[in-house]
Amino acid sequence: MLVMILGLLLFLGVHSVRIFADDWRSAQVQRMGELGWKAAVSVVSVIGLAIAIWGYGQMRLDPIWIWFPPTGLRHAVALLMIPAFILLVAAYVPGNHIKAKLGHPMVLAVKVWALAHLLANGRLGDIVFFGAFLAWAVLDFRSARRRQPAPPTTPRMAGTAITVIGGLIAYYLFAFHLHVWVTGVPVM
């Protein structure tokens, strides 16, 4: 579990710089340049995520059960993941109504993903892993809402349609084909 926590600290820590040290981040971007800063954050992120995932896998070998979720909650997770994928895609598709209305759809996607997975997993490691992402997403969303908003764009129905269709396709591919490969756990 310590390995997983170390990975989470690295991954979520580097993603929390804007929450807790925005002025320091701005100074680093100024010093390193936008590309240099993004490269450094990316390297730390990949290392942290790899360590967290490896630690999560190790934790699953000797689990500490806190509660045993009812099997039916898996269906709730499957349903909650549909809007999570749509929100995730909304962060990248320009000119969609979802991003225009919500402002930070990727962070909202992380919230929905983490909460959904907390519902269906009762091991201590699951609670720490998904709980850490949920806590980070709550703090990050609050912090992002306080910052100067990006200039408004005019959303278009085409952008929204691409977002929804892309989110549904991403959901289908991940839920029915990639989830077992990535996590080792079937969706149902």
Side-chain angles (χ1 to χ4, degrees):
M1 176 105 60
L2 287 176
V3 172
M4 180 184 74
I5 292 170
L6 174 64
L8 288 170
L9 286 172
L10 283 171
F11 182 79
L12 295 175
V14 77
H15 283 87
S16 298
V17 172
R18 255 191 129 171
I19 299 170
F20 299 108
D22 199 24
D23 292 339
W24 179 82
R25 178 194 171 276
S26 296
Q28 298 311 307
V29 170
Q30 187 76 17
R31 185 176 67 80
M32 302 168 76
E34 186 80 24
L35 203 54
W37 172 254
K38 286 183 178 182
V41 167
S42 296
V43 168
V44 174
S45 294
V46 168
I47 292 168
L49 189 58
I51 292 170
I53 290 170
W54 184 76
Y56 180 79
Q58 293 302 306
M59 172 279 309
R60 287 174 45 200
L61 298 175
D62 190 22
I64 299 169
W65 287 92
I66 303 300
W67 73 300
F68 294 93
T71 306
L73 284 179
R74 290 190 201 153
H75 300 289
V77 173
L79 287 175
L80 285 169
M81 291 311 299
I82 294 170
F85 272 95
I86 292 169
L87 287 166
L88 182 64
V89 172
Y92 294 101
V93 175
N96 69 77
H97 287 86
I98 297 167
K99 186 172 183 175
K101 180 71 175 168
L102 300 176
H104 307 282
M106 182 185 291
V107 177
L108 293 172
V110 172
K111 280 184 181 182
V112 174
W113 167 80
L115 178 63
H117 284 77
L118 280 170
L119 291 174
N121 294 286
R123 296 174 297 221
L124 178 61
D126 296 318
I127 294 166
V128 170
F129 188 83
F130 296 113
F133 275 96
L134 180 58
W136 170 83
V138 167
L139 293 172
D140 191 54
F141 190 77
R142 287 182 59 205
S143 173
R145 300 287 276 191
R146 291 184 185 141
R147 289 193 293 271
Q148 181 73 22
T153 59
T154 304
R156 299 176 318 277
M157 282 308 296
T160 305
I162 290 168
T163 298
V164 172
I165 292 167
L168 292 172
I169 291 169
Y171 169 79
Y172 169 78
L173 291 173
F174 196 79
F176 296 102
H177 300 287
L178 299 174
H179 196 272
V180 170
W181 181 73
V182 171
T183 67
V185 178
V187 171
M188 292 288 173

Short mmCIF file of all heavy atoms in Angstrom, two decimals, residues 96-162:
data_model
loop_
_atom_site.label_atom_id
_atom_site.label_comp_id
_atom_site.label_asym_id
_atom_site.label_seq_id
_atom_site.Cartn_x
_atom_site.Cartn_y
_atom_site.Cartn_z
N ASN A 96 -18.09 22.55 -27.82
CA ASN A 96 -19.23 21.74 -27.41
C ASN A 96 -19.95 22.42 -26.25
O ASN A 96 -19.35 23.16 -25.47
CB ASN A 96 -18.82 20.31 -27.09
CG ASN A 96 -17.98 20.19 -25.83
OD1 ASN A 96 -18.51 20.27 -24.73
ND2 ASN A 96 -16.68 20.01 -26.00
N HIS A 97 -21.24 22.18 -26.14
CA HIS A 97 -22.06 22.81 -25.11
C HIS A 97 -21.69 22.35 -23.71
O HIS A 97 -21.84 23.10 -22.74
CB HIS A 97 -23.55 22.53 -25.37
CG HIS A 97 -24.11 23.29 -26.52
ND1 HIS A 97 -24.01 22.83 -27.81
CD2 HIS A 97 -24.75 24.48 -26.58
CE1 HIS A 97 -24.58 23.71 -28.62
NE2 HIS A 97 -25.04 24.72 -27.90
N ILE A 98 -21.23 21.12 -23.57
CA ILE A 98 -20.90 20.57 -22.26
C ILE A 98 -19.75 21.34 -21.63
O ILE A 98 -19.84 21.78 -20.47
CB ILE A 98 -20.59 19.06 -22.36
CG1 ILE A 98 -21.83 18.30 -22.85
CG2 ILE A 98 -20.11 18.51 -21.02
CD1 ILE A 98 -21.58 16.89 -23.29
N LYS A 99 -18.68 21.53 -22.39
CA LYS A 99 -17.54 22.28 -21.87
C LYS A 99 -17.91 23.74 -21.65
O LYS A 99 -17.50 24.35 -20.65
CB LYS A 99 -16.34 22.18 -22.81
CG LYS A 99 -15.09 22.83 -22.24
CD LYS A 99 -13.89 22.56 -23.10
CE LYS A 99 -12.64 23.14 -22.46
NZ LYS A 99 -11.45 22.79 -23.22
N ALA A 100 -18.69 24.32 -22.54
CA ALA A 100 -19.10 25.71 -22.39
C ALA A 100 -19.91 25.90 -21.11
O ALA A 100 -19.76 26.91 -20.41
CB ALA A 100 -19.91 26.16 -23.61
N LYS A 101 -20.74 24.94 -20.77
CA LYS A 101 -21.61 25.05 -19.59
C LYS A 101 -20.86 24.70 -18.30
O LYS A 101 -21.00 25.40 -17.30
CB LYS A 101 -22.82 24.12 -19.76
CG LYS A 101 -23.78 24.14 -18.62
CD LYS A 101 -24.55 25.42 -18.57
CE LYS A 101 -25.60 25.36 -17.47
NZ LYS A 101 -26.17 26.66 -17.20
N LEU A 102 -20.06 23.64 -18.32
CA LEU A 102 -19.44 23.15 -17.09
C LEU A 102 -18.04 23.70 -16.84
O LEU A 102 -17.60 23.74 -15.70
CB LEU A 102 -19.39 21.62 -17.10
CG LEU A 102 -20.75 20.93 -17.21
CD1 LEU A 102 -20.59 19.43 -17.33
CD2 LEU A 102 -21.64 21.31 -16.04
N GLY A 103 -17.34 24.07 -17.87
CA GLY A 103 -16.03 24.68 -17.73
C GLY A 103 -14.87 23.72 -17.55
O GLY A 103 -13.81 23.92 -18.11
N HIS A 104 -15.03 22.69 -16.77
CA HIS A 104 -13.92 21.78 -16.46
C HIS A 104 -14.40 20.32 -16.51
O HIS A 104 -14.41 19.61 -15.50
CB HIS A 104 -13.34 22.10 -15.08
CG HIS A 104 -12.96 23.54 -14.95
ND1 HIS A 104 -11.81 24.04 -15.50
CD2 HIS A 104 -13.61 24.58 -14.38
CE1 HIS A 104 -11.75 25.34 -15.26
NE2 HIS A 104 -12.83 25.69 -14.59
N PRO A 105 -14.79 19.86 -17.70
CA PRO A 105 -15.40 18.54 -17.79
C PRO A 105 -14.46 17.38 -17.43
O PRO A 105 -14.92 16.36 -16.93
CB PRO A 105 -15.87 18.45 -19.23
CG PRO A 105 -15.07 19.45 -19.98
CD PRO A 105 -14.76 20.54 -18.99
N MET A 106 -13.15 17.53 -17.66
CA MET A 106 -12.25 16.43 -17.33
C MET A 106 -12.21 16.20 -15.82
O MET A 106 -12.23 15.05 -15.36
CB MET A 106 -10.83 16.65 -17.85
CG MET A 106 -9.93 15.46 -17.52
SD MET A 106 -8.23 15.68 -17.96
CE MET A 106 -8.33 15.65 -19.71
N VAL A 107 -12.16 17.26 -15.06
CA VAL A 107 -12.14 17.12 -13.60
C VAL A 107 -13.46 16.52 -13.12
O VAL A 107 -13.47 15.67 -12.22
CB VAL A 107 -11.85 18.48 -12.93
CG1 VAL A 107 -11.90 18.36 -11.42
CG2 VAL A 107 -10.50 19.02 -13.37
N LEU A 108 -14.56 16.92 -13.73
CA LEU A 108 -15.85 16.32 -13.39
C LEU A 108 -15.88 14.84 -13.76
O LEU A 108 -16.46 14.03 -13.04
CB LEU A 108 -16.98 17.08 -14.07
CG LEU A 108 -17.18 18.51 -13.56
CD1 LEU A 108 -18.20 19.24 -14.42
CD2 LEU A 108 -17.60 18.52 -12.11
N ALA A 109 -15.25 14.49 -14.88
CA ALA A 109 -15.16 13.07 -15.27
C ALA A 109 -14.40 12.27 -14.22
O ALA A 109 -14.79 11.15 -13.88
CB ALA A 109 -14.49 12.95 -16.64
N VAL A 110 -13.32 12.83 -13.70
CA VAL A 110 -12.55 12.15 -12.65
C VAL A 110 -13.41 11.97 -11.40
O VAL A 110 -13.39 10.91 -10.77
CB VAL A 110 -11.25 12.91 -12.33
CG1 VAL A 110 -10.55 12.31 -11.12
CG2 VAL A 110 -10.32 12.91 -13.53
N LYS A 111 -14.20 12.98 -11.06
CA LYS A 111 -15.10 12.88 -9.90
C LYS A 111 -16.08 11.71 -10.06
O LYS A 111 -16.25 10.90 -9.16
CB LYS A 111 -15.91 14.16 -9.72
CG LYS A 111 -15.22 15.29 -9.05
CD LYS A 111 -16.25 16.42 -8.88
CE LYS A 111 -15.69 17.63 -8.24
NZ LYS A 111 -16.70 18.68 -8.06
N VAL A 112 -16.72 11.67 -11.22
CA VAL A 112 -17.72 10.62 -11.47
C VAL A 112 -17.04 9.25 -11.48
O VAL A 112 -17.54 8.29 -10.87
CB VAL A 112 -18.48 10.88 -12.79
CG1 VAL A 112 -19.40 9.72 -13.13
CG2 VAL A 112 -19.26 12.19 -12.71
N TRP A 113 -15.89 9.14 -12.16
CA TRP A 113 -15.14 7.87 -12.22
C TRP A 113 -14.76 7.40 -10.82
O TRP A 113 -14.98 6.24 -10.46
CB TRP A 113 -13.89 8.07 -13.09
CG TRP A 113 -12.89 6.98 -13.00
CD1 TRP A 113 -12.93 5.78 -13.64
CD2 TRP A 113 -11.68 6.99 -12.23
NE1 TRP A 113 -11.81 5.03 -13.31
CE2 TRP A 113 -11.03 5.76 -12.46
CE3 TRP A 113 -11.08 7.92 -11.39
CZ2 TRP A 113 -9.82 5.42 -11.86
CZ3 TRP A 113 -9.87 7.60 -10.79
CH2 TRP A 113 -9.25 6.37 -11.04
N ALA A 114 -14.20 8.29 -10.02
CA ALA A 114 -13.74 7.91 -8.68
C ALA A 114 -14.91 7.52 -7.79
O ALA A 114 -14.86 6.49 -7.10
CB ALA A 114 -12.94 9.06 -8.07
N LEU A 115 -15.97 8.33 -7.79
CA LEU A 115 -17.13 8.02 -6.97
C LEU A 115 -17.75 6.69 -7.37
O LEU A 115 -18.08 5.85 -6.51
CB LEU A 115 -18.17 9.13 -7.07
CG LEU A 115 -19.46 8.90 -6.29
CD1 LEU A 115 -19.18 8.81 -4.79
CD2 LEU A 115 -20.47 10.00 -6.58
N ALA A 116 -17.89 6.47 -8.66
CA ALA A 116 -18.47 5.21 -9.15
C ALA A 116 -17.64 4.02 -8.68
O ALA A 116 -18.19 3.01 -8.22
CB ALA A 116 -18.56 5.23 -10.68
N HIS A 117 -16.33 4.14 -8.77
CA HIS A 117 -15.48 3.02 -8.37
C HIS A 117 -15.41 2.85 -6.86
O HIS A 117 -15.16 1.74 -6.37
CB HIS A 117 -14.10 3.17 -9.00
CG HIS A 117 -14.10 2.81 -10.45
ND1 HIS A 117 -14.59 3.65 -11.42
CD2 HIS A 117 -13.72 1.67 -11.09
CE1 HIS A 117 -14.49 3.06 -12.60
NE2 HIS A 117 -13.98 1.86 -12.43
N LEU A 118 -15.63 3.90 -6.10
CA LEU A 118 -15.73 3.76 -4.65
C LEU A 118 -16.98 2.96 -4.27
O LEU A 118 -16.96 2.20 -3.30
CB LEU A 118 -15.77 5.13 -3.97
CG LEU A 118 -14.44 5.82 -3.78
CD1 LEU A 118 -14.64 7.26 -3.33
CD2 LEU A 118 -13.56 5.08 -2.79
N LEU A 119 -18.06 3.13 -5.03
CA LEU A 119 -19.29 2.41 -4.75
C LEU A 119 -19.12 0.90 -4.90
O LEU A 119 -19.71 0.13 -4.14
CB LEU A 119 -20.41 2.87 -5.69
CG LEU A 119 -20.94 4.28 -5.51
CD1 LEU A 119 -21.93 4.61 -6.62
CD2 LEU A 119 -21.56 4.45 -4.14
N ALA A 120 -18.34 0.48 -5.88
CA ALA A 120 -18.28 -0.94 -6.22
C ALA A 120 -17.06 -1.67 -5.68
O ALA A 120 -16.90 -2.85 -5.92
CB ALA A 120 -18.32 -1.10 -7.74
N ASN A 121 -16.20 -0.98 -4.94
CA ASN A 121 -14.99 -1.60 -4.43
C ASN A 121 -14.87 -1.34 -2.93
O ASN A 121 -14.89 -0.19 -2.51
CB ASN A 121 -13.76 -1.04 -5.14
CG ASN A 121 -13.73 -1.41 -6.60
OD1 ASN A 121 -13.45 -2.54 -6.95
ND2 ASN A 121 -14.07 -0.46 -7.47
N GLY A 122 -14.72 -2.40 -2.16
CA GLY A 122 -14.71 -2.26 -0.71
C GLY A 122 -13.39 -2.54 -0.03
O GLY A 122 -13.32 -2.60 1.19
N ARG A 123 -12.32 -2.73 -0.81
CA ARG A 123 -11.01 -2.97 -0.18
C ARG A 123 -10.40 -1.65 0.26
O ARG A 123 -10.63 -0.60 -0.35
CB ARG A 123 -10.07 -3.67 -1.16
CG ARG A 123 -10.55 -5.06 -1.55
CD ARG A 123 -9.67 -5.63 -2.62
NE ARG A 123 -9.76 -4.80 -3.82
CZ ARG A 123 -9.82 -5.28 -5.05
NH1 ARG A 123 -9.76 -6.56 -5.26
NH2 ARG A 123 -9.92 -4.47 -6.07
N LEU A 124 -9.58 -1.69 1.29
CA LEU A 124 -8.93 -0.49 1.79
C LEU A 124 -8.11 0.20 0.70
O LEU A 124 -8.18 1.42 0.55
CB LEU A 124 -8.02 -0.84 2.99
CG LEU A 124 -7.24 0.32 3.58
CD1 LEU A 124 -8.17 1.40 4.11
CD2 LEU A 124 -6.31 -0.18 4.68
N GLY A 125 -7.37 -0.56 -0.08
CA GLY A 125 -6.58 0.02 -1.15
C GLY A 125 -7.43 0.72 -2.20
O GLY A 125 -7.06 1.77 -2.71
N ASP A 126 -8.60 0.14 -2.50
CA ASP A 126 -9.53 0.78 -3.44
C ASP A 126 -10.02 2.11 -2.88
O ASP A 126 -10.12 3.11 -3.59
CB ASP A 126 -10.75 -0.11 -3.71
CG ASP A 126 -10.40 -1.41 -4.39
OD1 ASP A 126 -9.58 -1.39 -5.32
OD2 ASP A 126 -10.95 -2.45 -3.98
N ILE A 127 -10.35 2.09 -1.60
CA ILE A 127 -10.86 3.31 -0.96
C ILE A 127 -9.80 4.39 -0.97
O ILE A 127 -10.09 5.56 -1.27
CB ILE A 127 -11.37 2.99 0.46
CG1 ILE A 127 -12.58 2.06 0.37
CG2 ILE A 127 -11.69 4.25 1.23
CD1 ILE A 127 -12.99 1.41 1.68
N VAL A 128 -8.55 4.02 -0.68
CA VAL A 128 -7.46 5.00 -0.70
C VAL A 128 -7.23 5.50 -2.13
O VAL A 128 -7.12 6.70 -2.38
CB VAL A 128 -6.17 4.40 -0.10
CG1 VAL A 128 -4.97 5.32 -0.34
CG2 VAL A 128 -6.35 4.13 1.38
N PHE A 129 -7.15 4.58 -3.10
CA PHE A 129 -6.85 4.93 -4.48
C PHE A 129 -7.92 5.84 -5.07
O PHE A 129 -7.65 6.96 -5.50
CB PHE A 129 -6.70 3.64 -5.31
CG PHE A 129 -6.22 3.86 -6.71
CD1 PHE A 129 -4.87 4.00 -6.97
CD2 PHE A 129 -7.10 3.91 -7.78
CE1 PHE A 129 -4.40 4.20 -8.26
CE2 PHE A 129 -6.65 4.10 -9.08
CZ PHE A 129 -5.29 4.25 -9.32
N PHE A 130 -9.16 5.36 -5.08
CA PHE A 130 -10.24 6.13 -5.70
C PHE A 130 -10.62 7.34 -4.84
O PHE A 130 -11.00 8.38 -5.37
CB PHE A 130 -11.44 5.24 -5.98
CG PHE A 130 -11.15 4.16 -6.98
CD1 PHE A 130 -11.15 2.82 -6.62
CD2 PHE A 130 -10.83 4.48 -8.29
CE1 PHE A 130 -10.86 1.83 -7.53
CE2 PHE A 130 -10.53 3.48 -9.22
CZ PHE A 130 -10.55 2.16 -8.83
N GLY A 131 -10.51 7.19 -3.52
CA GLY A 131 -10.79 8.32 -2.63
C GLY A 131 -9.80 9.46 -2.84
O GLY A 131 -10.18 10.63 -2.78
N ALA A 132 -8.53 9.12 -3.09
CA ALA A 132 -7.53 10.16 -3.35
C ALA A 132 -7.86 10.93 -4.63
O ALA A 132 -7.78 12.16 -4.67
CB ALA A 132 -6.13 9.54 -3.46
N PHE A 133 -8.26 10.21 -5.67
CA PHE A 133 -8.65 10.88 -6.92
C PHE A 133 -9.90 11.74 -6.72
O PHE A 133 -9.99 12.84 -7.26
CB PHE A 133 -8.87 9.86 -8.04
CG PHE A 133 -7.60 9.48 -8.75
CD1 PHE A 133 -6.91 8.33 -8.38
CD2 PHE A 133 -7.10 10.26 -9.77
CE1 PHE A 133 -5.74 7.98 -9.03
CE2 PHE A 133 -5.93 9.93 -10.42
CZ PHE A 133 -5.24 8.78 -10.05
N LEU A 134 -10.86 11.24 -5.94
CA LEU A 134 -12.08 12.02 -5.70
C LEU A 134 -11.75 13.30 -4.91
O LEU A 134 -12.21 14.39 -5.28
CB LEU A 134 -13.12 11.18 -4.96
CG LEU A 134 -14.44 11.88 -4.65
CD1 LEU A 134 -15.12 12.39 -5.93
CD2 LEU A 134 -15.37 10.94 -3.89
N ALA A 135 -10.94 13.17 -3.88
CA ALA A 135 -10.57 14.35 -3.08
C ALA A 135 -9.81 15.36 -3.95
O ALA A 135 -10.08 16.57 -3.90
CB ALA A 135 -9.72 13.93 -1.88
N TRP A 136 -8.88 14.86 -4.77
CA TRP A 136 -8.13 15.75 -5.66
C TRP A 136 -9.08 16.47 -6.62
O TRP A 136 -8.97 17.68 -6.83
CB TRP A 136 -7.08 14.98 -6.46
CG TRP A 136 -6.49 15.83 -7.53
CD1 TRP A 136 -5.49 16.75 -7.40
CD2 TRP A 136 -6.93 15.91 -8.89
NE1 TRP A 136 -5.26 17.38 -8.60
CE2 TRP A 136 -6.14 16.88 -9.53
CE3 TRP A 136 -7.91 15.24 -9.62
CZ2 TRP A 136 -6.30 17.20 -10.88
CZ3 TRP A 136 -8.06 15.56 -10.95
CH2 TRP A 136 -7.27 16.53 -11.57
N ALA A 137 -10.02 15.73 -7.21
CA ALA A 137 -10.93 16.33 -8.19
C ALA A 137 -11.81 17.40 -7.54
O ALA A 137 -12.08 18.44 -8.16
CB ALA A 137 -11.79 15.24 -8.85
N VAL A 138 -12.26 17.17 -6.33
CA VAL A 138 -13.07 18.17 -5.63
C VAL A 138 -12.24 19.44 -5.41
O VAL A 138 -12.69 20.56 -5.70
CB VAL A 138 -13.60 17.61 -4.29
CG1 VAL A 138 -14.17 18.72 -3.41
CG2 VAL A 138 -14.65 16.53 -4.54
N LEU A 139 -11.02 19.28 -4.91
CA LEU A 139 -10.15 20.44 -4.67
C LEU A 139 -9.78 21.14 -5.97
O LEU A 139 -9.77 22.38 -6.03
CB LEU A 139 -8.88 20.01 -3.92
CG LEU A 139 -9.08 19.53 -2.50
CD1 LEU A 139 -7.77 18.97 -1.94
CD2 LEU A 139 -9.61 20.65 -1.61
N ASP A 140 -9.48 20.38 -6.99
CA ASP A 140 -9.08 20.98 -8.26
C ASP A 140 -10.24 21.74 -8.90
O ASP A 140 -10.05 22.82 -9.45
CB ASP A 140 -8.54 19.91 -9.21
CG ASP A 140 -7.88 20.53 -10.42
OD1 ASP A 140 -6.97 21.37 -10.24
OD2 ASP A 140 -8.29 20.21 -11.56
N PHE A 141 -11.44 21.18 -8.84
CA PHE A 141 -12.59 21.85 -9.42
C PHE A 141 -12.85 23.18 -8.71
O PHE A 141 -13.09 24.20 -9.35
CB PHE A 141 -13.83 20.95 -9.36
CG PHE A 141 -14.99 21.48 -10.14
CD1 PHE A 141 -15.02 21.38 -11.52
CD2 PHE A 141 -16.06 22.10 -9.51
CE1 PHE A 141 -16.09 21.87 -12.26
CE2 PHE A 141 -17.13 22.60 -10.23
CZ PHE A 141 -17.14 22.48 -11.61
N ARG A 142 -12.77 23.17 -7.38
CA ARG A 142 -12.96 24.41 -6.62
C ARG A 142 -11.90 25.43 -6.98
O ARG A 142 -12.19 26.61 -7.17
CB ARG A 142 -12.92 24.11 -5.12
CG ARG A 142 -14.15 23.41 -4.62
CD ARG A 142 -14.12 23.17 -3.14
NE ARG A 142 -13.99 24.45 -2.43
CZ ARG A 142 -13.47 24.57 -1.22
NH1 ARG A 142 -13.02 23.50 -0.59
NH2 ARG A 142 -13.40 25.75 -0.64
N SER A 143 -10.67 24.99 -7.09
CA SER A 143 -9.57 25.89 -7.43
C SER A 143 -9.74 26.45 -8.84
O SER A 143 -9.56 27.64 -9.07
CB SER A 143 -8.24 25.14 -7.32
OG SER A 143 -7.18 25.92 -7.79
N ALA A 144 -10.10 25.60 -9.78
CA ALA A 144 -10.27 26.03 -11.17
C ALA A 144 -11.41 27.04 -11.31
O ALA A 144 -11.31 27.97 -12.11
CB ALA A 144 -10.52 24.82 -12.07
N ARG A 145 -12.47 26.87 -10.54
CA ARG A 145 -13.61 27.80 -10.61
C ARG A 145 -13.24 29.19 -10.08
O ARG A 145 -13.88 30.17 -10.44
CB ARG A 145 -14.80 27.26 -9.83
CG ARG A 145 -15.32 25.92 -10.33
CD ARG A 145 -16.04 26.04 -11.60
NE ARG A 145 -17.42 26.42 -11.34
CZ ARG A 145 -18.35 26.40 -12.24
NH1 ARG A 145 -18.08 26.00 -13.45
NH2 ARG A 145 -19.56 26.77 -11.95
N ARG A 146 -12.22 29.26 -9.24
CA ARG A 146 -11.78 30.55 -8.68
C ARG A 146 -10.84 31.31 -9.62
O ARG A 146 -10.67 32.51 -9.47
CB ARG A 146 -11.08 30.33 -7.34
CG ARG A 146 -12.02 29.88 -6.26
CD ARG A 146 -11.29 29.77 -4.94
NE ARG A 146 -12.19 29.21 -3.94
CZ ARG A 146 -11.83 28.36 -3.03
NH1 ARG A 146 -10.58 27.96 -2.95
NH2 ARG A 146 -12.70 27.90 -2.17
N ARG A 147 -10.21 30.58 -10.54
CA ARG A 147 -9.28 31.24 -11.47
C ARG A 147 -10.04 32.00 -12.54
O ARG A 147 -11.22 31.77 -12.79
CB ARG A 147 -8.36 30.20 -12.12
CG ARG A 147 -7.35 29.61 -11.17
CD ARG A 147 -6.27 28.84 -11.91
NE ARG A 147 -6.74 27.64 -12.55
CZ ARG A 147 -6.80 26.44 -11.98
NH1 ARG A 147 -6.42 26.29 -10.73
NH2 ARG A 147 -7.22 25.40 -12.64
N GLN A 148 -9.30 32.85 -13.23
CA GLN A 148 -9.86 33.60 -14.36
C GLN A 148 -10.37 32.61 -15.41
O GLN A 148 -9.62 31.76 -15.87
CB GLN A 148 -8.77 34.50 -14.97
CG GLN A 148 -9.21 35.35 -16.12
CD GLN A 148 -10.11 36.49 -15.67
OE1 GLN A 148 -10.08 36.90 -14.53
NE2 GLN A 148 -10.91 36.99 -16.58
N PRO A 149 -11.63 32.70 -15.79
CA PRO A 149 -12.13 31.75 -16.79
C PRO A 149 -11.51 31.99 -18.16
O PRO A 149 -11.10 33.10 -18.49
CB PRO A 149 -13.64 32.01 -16.81
CG PRO A 149 -13.81 33.38 -16.26
CD PRO A 149 -12.65 33.64 -15.35
N ALA A 150 -11.48 30.91 -18.93
CA ALA A 150 -10.99 31.02 -20.31
C ALA A 150 -11.98 31.87 -21.10
O ALA A 150 -13.16 31.95 -20.76
CB ALA A 150 -10.88 29.63 -20.92
N PRO A 151 -11.50 32.51 -22.15
CA PRO A 151 -12.43 33.30 -22.97
C PRO A 151 -13.56 32.42 -23.50
O PRO A 151 -13.32 31.29 -23.92
CB PRO A 151 -11.56 33.81 -24.12
CG PRO A 151 -10.16 33.49 -23.79
CD PRO A 151 -10.15 32.50 -22.67
N PRO A 152 -14.78 32.92 -23.45
CA PRO A 152 -15.91 32.09 -23.88
C PRO A 152 -15.85 31.80 -25.38
O PRO A 152 -15.40 32.62 -26.17
CB PRO A 152 -17.13 32.94 -23.53
CG PRO A 152 -16.63 34.34 -23.43
CD PRO A 152 -15.18 34.26 -23.04
N THR A 153 -16.27 30.60 -25.70
CA THR A 153 -16.38 30.22 -27.11
C THR A 153 -17.86 29.94 -27.38
O THR A 153 -18.62 29.63 -26.47
CB THR A 153 -15.56 28.96 -27.42
OG1 THR A 153 -16.02 27.90 -26.59
CG2 THR A 153 -14.08 29.19 -27.17
N THR A 154 -18.22 30.04 -28.62
CA THR A 154 -19.60 29.77 -29.01
C THR A 154 -19.74 28.27 -29.28
O THR A 154 -19.14 27.75 -30.22
CB THR A 154 -19.97 30.57 -30.27
OG1 THR A 154 -19.72 31.94 -30.02
CG2 THR A 154 -21.43 30.36 -30.63
N PRO A 155 -20.52 27.59 -28.44
CA PRO A 155 -20.69 26.15 -28.68
C PRO A 155 -21.55 25.89 -29.90
O PRO A 155 -22.40 26.71 -30.25
CB PRO A 155 -21.37 25.66 -27.39
CG PRO A 155 -21.99 26.86 -26.79
CD PRO A 155 -21.22 28.05 -27.26
N ARG A 156 -21.28 24.77 -30.53
CA ARG A 156 -22.03 24.36 -31.72
C ARG A 156 -22.61 22.97 -31.50
O ARG A 156 -22.01 22.15 -30.79
CB ARG A 156 -21.11 24.36 -32.94
CG ARG A 156 -20.52 25.73 -33.26
CD ARG A 156 -19.53 25.69 -34.43
NE ARG A 156 -18.61 24.59 -34.46
CZ ARG A 156 -17.45 24.54 -33.77
NH1 ARG A 156 -17.11 25.53 -32.99
NH2 ARG A 156 -16.65 23.50 -33.87
N MET A 157 -23.73 22.72 -32.09
CA MET A 157 -24.36 21.40 -31.97
C MET A 157 -23.45 20.31 -32.53
O MET A 157 -23.41 19.20 -31.99
CB MET A 157 -25.72 21.38 -32.67
CG MET A 157 -26.82 22.05 -31.88
SD MET A 157 -26.98 21.45 -30.17
CE MET A 157 -27.43 19.76 -30.41
N ALA A 158 -22.70 20.62 -33.59
CA ALA A 158 -21.81 19.61 -34.17
C ALA A 158 -20.75 19.20 -33.14
O ALA A 158 -20.45 18.01 -32.98
CB ALA A 158 -21.14 20.16 -35.43
N GLY A 159 -20.19 20.18 -32.42
CA GLY A 159 -19.20 19.87 -31.40
C GLY A 159 -19.79 19.03 -30.28
O GLY A 159 -19.15 18.10 -29.77
N THR A 160 -21.02 19.35 -29.90
CA THR A 160 -21.69 18.59 -28.84
C THR A 160 -22.00 17.18 -29.31
O THR A 160 -21.81 16.21 -28.56
CB THR A 160 -22.97 19.31 -28.39
OG1 THR A 160 -22.62 20.65 -28.02
CG2 THR A 160 -23.63 18.61 -27.22
N ALA A 161 -22.48 17.04 -30.54
CA ALA A 161 -22.78 15.71 -31.08
C ALA A 161 -21.52 14.86 -31.16
O ALA A 161 -21.53 13.67 -30.78
CB ALA A 161 -23.43 15.83 -32.46
N ILE A 162 -20.42 15.43 -31.63
CA ILE A 162 -19.15 14.71 -31.70
C ILE A 162 -18.71 14.29 -30.30
O ILE A 162 -18.22 13.18 -30.09
CB ILE A 162 -18.07 15.57 -32.40
CG1 ILE A 162 -18.40 15.71 -33.88
CG2 ILE A 162 -16.68 14.99 -32.20
CD1 ILE A 162 -17.59 16.77 -34.59
#
